[in-house]
Each structure stands twice: as C-alpha cells, then as structure tokens.
Amino acid sequence: MRKTFGTFPELFFMGVGLFWIAESYFTVGSINYFAILVTWLLFVQFFYKNRLAGLIYGIAFGSFSVYMLLSLIADNGEAVSPLYVTNINAVDSVLFAVGIIMSVAMVYKYVTTKVDYDESVLTVTY
C-alpha cells in the first residue's frame, strides 16, 4: 500500500504535464515540446526511480508551485471582477497547493530512500 502511495507525486506531475500538452495544443494549435520533454522525463523517472533526478524534480516542481501560488496571491487584488478572482484563482490555488504537497512528498521519498547500488551506473534488469 505504501508503494502505491509513493508513486502519486510522479503520477500527479505526469497528469499535469499531459494537461499542459493538451491545453497548449488545443488553445494555441502548436505542439509544446518543452511540456512533452518534462512529461517524458517524469515518465522515465517513474520507472527508473533515480534518486538524484527525483530530488531535482521534486525541488524544481516545489519551487515552481510556491512561485506560482505567491504570484496568484499577489495578483489577487489587481483583477477587475471579484467573480473572476474567486473562480479561477481558487482552482489554480488548489492545484498549486497540491503541487507543493506532492513535491514535498517526492523529496521526502527520495531523501529517505536507502541506496544499495551505485547510482552512477544505469542498469536494467529483466
């Protein structure tokens, strides 16, 4: 059960990446290669579970989520309509708050991982 909950941060950020890919394709009409790269790297991380990459991804996604949440809080008073502020910013705030929680869980998971192998060697066993 704990192993199942341990994969939620990667799955959450992959879902956000897939949404980012679909949103940019359907609104702009072009392919967002950066979103594809981020989602692919998370997909690879999901299977290989490299400790250093997991820490880097967790810290990067956490700092981005904190930045965006603080940006939403700062822009709250500048919107024209109070109805717009409560609807859109509430959904975005919840998304970024969950992103912070998932990134903390991801960092905690990879910090507490016991290392029994050489991380400089990429091996695949079948």
Side-chain angles (χ1 to χ4, degrees):
M1 188 72 155
R2 183 176 178 176
K3 189 173 182 178
T4 304
F5 286 128
T7 61
F8 278 162
E10 287 92 350
L11 292 175
F12 172 77
F13 287 122
M14 278 192 290
V16 170
L18 289 173
F19 179 75
W20 185 18
I21 292 168
E23 185 265 336
S24 67
Y25 181 73
F26 289 122
T27 57
V28 181
S30 65
I31 298 172
N32 189 348
Y33 293 108
F34 184 70
I36 293 172
L37 175 70
V38 170
T39 307
W40 176 253
L41 288 174
L42 280 169
F43 183 73
V44 170
Q45 174 65 21
F46 181 73
F47 288 106
Y48 286 112
K49 300 200 184 317
N50 187 343
R51 185 176 184 201
L52 181 62
L55 289 172
I56 290 172
Y57 294 150
I59 291 170
F61 291 139
S63 60
F64 177 74
S65 295
V66 167
Y67 171 76
M68 290 304 293
L69 189 61
L70 291 176
S71 175
L72 279 174
I73 292 170
D75 288 341
N76 197 10
E78 297 177 10
V80 177
S81 170
L83 183 64
Y84 175 77
V85 170
T86 56
N87 288 342
I88 301 300
N89 285 353
V91 172
D92 291 344
S93 299
V94 168
L95 179 70
F96 293 127
V98 171
I100 292 169
I101 293 168
M102 290 295 172
S103 65
V104 167
M106 192 173 185
V107 168
Y108 177 76
K109 179 176 90 171
Y110 287 109
V111 164
T112 59
T113 300
K114 183 180 173 187
V115 179
D116 288 339
Y117 57 91
D118 185 15
E119 285 192 4
S120 64
V121 177
L122 179 64
T123 59
V124 179
T125 58
Y126 293 101

